[in-house]
Structure formats: structure tokens, C-alpha cells
Amino acid sequence: MSYKKLWTDLHANIHHNQMGDLDAWIGQARQVLDFWPVAYYPMYMRRNEAGAPLEDLYPEEAIQADWEQLRAAVKRVNEEGWPMFMGYEWQGNGSDGDHNVFFLHNDAPMLHPMLYTQLRDAYKDTEAIAIPHHVAYQLGSRGKNWATHDERFSPFAEIYSSHGCSERDTGPFDMERHPHMGPRTGETCYERGLEQGWRVGCIASGDNHNLPGVCVHGTMCVLAEDATKEAIWEGLRAGRVYGVSRTRMEIDFTVNGAPMGSTVAPGEGQMEIAITAADAIDRVEVLRNNVLHEMLVHSGSWERQPLPERFRFKFALEFGWGPNPRFYPDQLSKHWVGSLQVPGRLVSVEKCWNNYGQKLYNQTKTGCEFELTTSMRGDGDHWMGASGARTEGFVFEVEGGIHDVLTLTVDGKEYALPVSELLYTGKIHAEYEESVQLAERTFGDVAHYRDDLFWHNAYKVRQRQAVPEAAYTLRRSLTVPMEAGDNYRLRVWLRNGDCAWVSPIFCR
């Protein structure tokens, strides 16, 4: 069967004090996602009489009022024809790990029992799922308790988010963003769940508490027959899901025709893998029972191939950086106006957005226009501290020839982008003169023997190196042994460091 690939952020937490922004959250989700299961966050940090900070539920009256507001909004959006699901974050007493609970229908209550088994039993007659997240924290202290897991209630787990990666306790994307909850441990990681025999898929999601669909924090894809809530729900329940750390990848993964999340019979397995990514694919790791079974190295397979007269290629543009707010406190954001025109054909545009204020419009076969808003946030007072730069951008797919010249216009300035140069190297287009003028207006005479003040505080457009279609697509067939108890899954790495985690196919 051919499935649609539908993208979402399964972990965007809107809090009690943010409910006035619910419509803005929904508007953002509808710009960047195909559907949205909202995860209402009913907790806050209160202080006891001694001043100790304790995370606890808001008063029942407040969260129930929020739940009804959410119910009305989801029903309205569903009536408008867009698939949105009700949901909330459940933590209990922390002994079973954090889970997001979602519902197919809009009439379920929000419940807060202390234990995962109590949560499961409370919804036994309800179309509900509970998805564990940041599973690799300490057991008993908000890490996943695989001993109480129920694969029917929790068909997959979130193993990557803004927290980092919970797949295992080694490897990249360590869980360092929230040091008070970590560090991560191998005792509760995703691999332990597979080793205990659970049929559990894997996704990536944001764990965003400011808006849904933040590109840099991870998103997930579900394979569904169509874009209705019922078809999406069936795909979620079946575990036909995977996640990416940043840019999107179109991934098909089957064994004997059965897709990710499926269970197949023992015997010889014919594995088919098809991937289309946003940048050059470096390698695909085929994992059998959490151990590398075969490494499919794509780097080196395409670089020397001659290009045809006309071909497709992809490249990314990122906008942002700019004046450090420690020195320029009135320069916290910038509004960009731009366009891209191509002599050939603009095949597709992927939005790599991280905040409000982004627009893509007038997209045709030969170009598009856009407006972006980027921001800088200082982090502490030390001049060498983190910048807090938040960029926005796109991945463009273009069809043309090696002698074509694309035209990028940004804030009234035109930049020629020859395809031959795009394929050769990345480049930065800086608003350098504007940075010089800003420095002189602010500080007067700033003569110095090097230009740090100007370059460090210039707004910049980063043009990433383009890659031809042969680099960002991969098709492979493998014959693999399928023994009872086996599971096979994929880890996909791009040249730019992006990763995808694909749900297993199980043998029982």
C-alpha cells in the first residue's frame, strides 16, 4: 500500500498562562505541520512555605477550564477540515516516566492518576495513546519504567527532542540541555525497551514550550492512508512512524512489503530502503536487535558522477545572526524581505522555521517570495558567552543546468547564485556596511586594526553548499535473516549532521 507522509510535532506544550495565545499556536502549526496533537501542560512551579520549588498541578478548576477551551478550539479546527487532536502531558509521581496522552475524539476527560498502569486502565474504553518521552532519565525520577509498559497503550516512544537523544546512553546528542533532569542513563533508554521484547516504535519531537514545530528540535512523520484524523490515528497506533533531528527526510522502509512498525513471520526477509533527504546522505545504519547489521555508506558513491544537462539539486539558506544584544540592546530582532528566482524550475521549498513571524508566498514554478523575522538573545553578561542566535530558513529544490544563475534578493540587494558555485561551496552574504554604520552611530570612532566589531555583529545569510539529486536520494535492497524475536530499524545520517530514527520491523 502507498501511504502519505504527514509531519507533526507531537510534543508542543502550551501552559495555563499561555492559553491566551492558543489561536497563535494553532496558526503556526497550520503553517508548518500537516496535523497537530496539542499537548497541554497542566503543571507549574509552586513554592512551599519554606520556599522550596515544587512542580505540581495547577488548581483543578483552572486546568479544567483550559481543557474546555482546548476542546472548543480543536472541534472548531476539525470542522474547518484540519486534523488536530486533543492531548496533555501526564507525569504522575515520576516513577513511570513522562508521557503525552492523546485522543482520537474530542470528548475525553483529562485525568491525573499517580501510576502509568492506573492511567492505562482509566482510558481502557477510550481511543487514547500515551507516548513516553525523554525516556533515558533516571528510573524513578521521570525516566521510563519499561517494566510497566503497555505496547497497545504506548505504540511508540519519543527518543529525540530538545532534551537530546534517549536511544542509548552513548553516541551523539547527549541529554545536556536540561542538566537538572540528567544526565542520561542506559538503564531506561529506548534500546532497553526493545531488548525487553516490546513492540515499540520511535519518533522525534520538540518538547517545545513556546510554539509548535520548531525545526531545530525535531519532528516526526506518520505514514497514513490519507490526511483524515482516523487514518492518521491508525498510522500512529500501527507504529508507522519515524523522526528527524532537524530537516525532513522522506523514508520508506519495508521487509517483505511490510512497512515500519509491522510484524512479519520468520524466514528470509527482503528489505527495501528508499530515502530522499534535504542534504547529502552520508550513511544508513541498519540495526538488528540494537546492533549494527550493515552500514550502507552513501558518501563517495555520487561525487564523481557526471551531471546531465538538466538535473535537480538542493541547497539551504539560513538567515539571522546579527548585533550582539550585550552591545546593541535595541537590536533584538530583524525583519527580512526576500525572494528567489530560478531560470529553470523551483521544485519544492521546505520551511526550516523556529519562531513566529515567517511567511512564504507567491510560490511559482520559477520562484517565490518570503518574509522572515530572526532574533538575538543574550545569555549572561560575559562577552564570550553564548549568543542565543535563532535562525530561520529554507531548503530549496531546483531543476536546472550547471550554467544557470539563480537570483536571491534580500532587503533590496541582489545576489547572483551560479549553480556551478552553489555545487562547489557554501558562502556567507553579510550586511557588512550596515554593521559598520551601526557601530559608528552607536560608538562614534571605532577604528581598529581588525574588523571583529563589524563582522561579529553583522546580519548574515548563510548559503549552504548545494548537492545534486544523486546525493540526497538512496535506494537499496538487502536480503536479511528474520528470526523470531528479531527487530530491524534504521538510523540515517546526513552530511550536515542531521539524523533520522526509523521505527523497527519486528519478527514474532
Side-chain angles (χ1 to χ4, degrees), residues 119-139:
L119 182 74
R120 175 202 61 195
D121 293 345
Y123 290 121
K124 63 182 175 64
D125 297 322
T126 305
E127 278 290 349
I129 56 175
I131 306 306
H133 51 267
H134 53 57
V135 298
Y137 286 133
Q138 181 68 20
L139 181 63

Side-chain angles (χ1 to χ4, degrees), residues 218-400:
T219 49
M220 66 152 288
C221 182
V222 61
L223 277 58
E225 290 186 30
D226 55 51
T228 63
K229 286 185 69 172
E230 292 74 16
I232 292 169
W233 190 258
E234 188 275 330
L236 296 174
R237 276 217 172 270
R240 291 195 304 272
V241 294
Y242 63 93
V244 297
S245 64
R246 198 173 68 92
T247 54
R248 296 179 180 182
M249 305 183 209
E250 300 282 318
I251 300 176
D252 289 295
F253 170 53
T254 64
V255 172
N256 296 338
M260 61 188 78
S262 299
T263 299
V264 299
E268 187 175 84
Q270 187 62 34
M271 180 181 294
E272 302 291 340
I273 300 170
I275 302 171
T276 301
D279 201 347
I281 299 167
D282 180 56
R283 65 194 186 276
V284 179
E285 299 172 11
V286 180
L287 303 172
R288 181 188 186 190
N289 304 327
N290 295 329
V291 176
L292 181 66
H293 177 76
E294 187 158 349
M295 180 86 77
L296 308 178
V297 178
H298 194 56
S299 289
S301 68
W302 58 271
E303 288 87 342
R304 294 182 177 86
Q305 291 184 16
L307 294 170
E309 184 176 346
R310 289 185 64 81
F311 58 94
R312 290 187 179 186
F313 61 93
K314 286 187 178 183
F315 72 101
L317 290 178
E318 298 171 65
F319 298 75
W321 298 275
N324 190 318
R326 298 182 184 89
F327 314 127
Y328 300 104
D330 59 339
Q331 302 287 320
L332 297 180
S333 66
K334 174 176 171 58
H335 182 68
W336 307 75
V337 178
S339 67
L340 180 72
Q341 296 298 316
V342 305
R345 183 165 73 96
L346 181 61
V347 179
S348 66
V349 183
E350 178 182 338
K351 303 170 183 175
C352 300
W353 294 352
N354 297 302
N355 217 323
Y356 294 117
Q358 324 313 328
K359 297 179 182 177
L360 172 68
Y361 52 93
N362 293 340
Q363 183 176 341
T364 68
K365 292 181 179 180
T366 59
C368 65
E369 298 178 60
F370 54 85
E371 295 181 37
L372 302 170
T373 299
T374 61
S375 62
M376 287 282 284
R377 177 181 56 80
D379 190 8
D381 297 324
H382 196 281
W383 70 281
M384 287 288 285
S387 71
R390 180 62 63 88
T391 63
E392 307 291 343
F394 305 94
V395 176
F396 298 101
E397 185 175 23
V398 178
E399 184 179 283

Side-chain angles (χ1 to χ4, degrees), residues 316-322 336 391 408 410 415-417 421-422 425-432 454-465:
L317 290 178
E318 298 171 65
F319 298 75
W321 298 275
W336 307 75
T391 63
L408 172 67
V410 180
Y415 302 92
L417 309 182
E421 291 185 11
L422 279 171
T425 187
K427 193 174 183 179
I428 297 173
H429 307 283
E431 296 192 352
Y432 189 89
F454 311 139
W455 179 256
H456 291 182
N457 293 284
Y459 289 111
K460 303 178 181 84
V461 180
R462 181 184 190 182
Q463 167 195 309
R464 287 185 179 263
Q465 182 180 357

Side-chain angles (χ1 to χ4, degrees), residues 436-495:
V436 173
Q437 294 167 11
L438 175 63
E440 291 175 344
R441 288 198 308 269
T442 305
F443 302 110
D445 183 8
V446 290
H448 192 52
Y449 61 86
R450 65 186 193 198
D451 74 342
D452 290 7
L453 180 63
F454 311 139
W455 179 256
H456 291 182
N457 293 284
Y459 289 111
K460 303 178 181 84
V461 180
R462 181 184 190 182
Q463 167 195 309
R464 287 185 179 263
Q465 182 180 357
V467 292
E469 188 174 18
Y472 60 81
T473 58
L474 177 148
R475 304 286 185 273
R476 295 290 180 88
S477 297
L478 302 175
T479 300
V480 296
M482 298 294 294
E483 299 177 0
D486 277 351
N487 68 78
Y488 284 86
R489 58 190 175 94
L490 306 181
R491 242 188 339 251
V492 183
W493 294 97
L494 304 190
R495 185 181 62 177

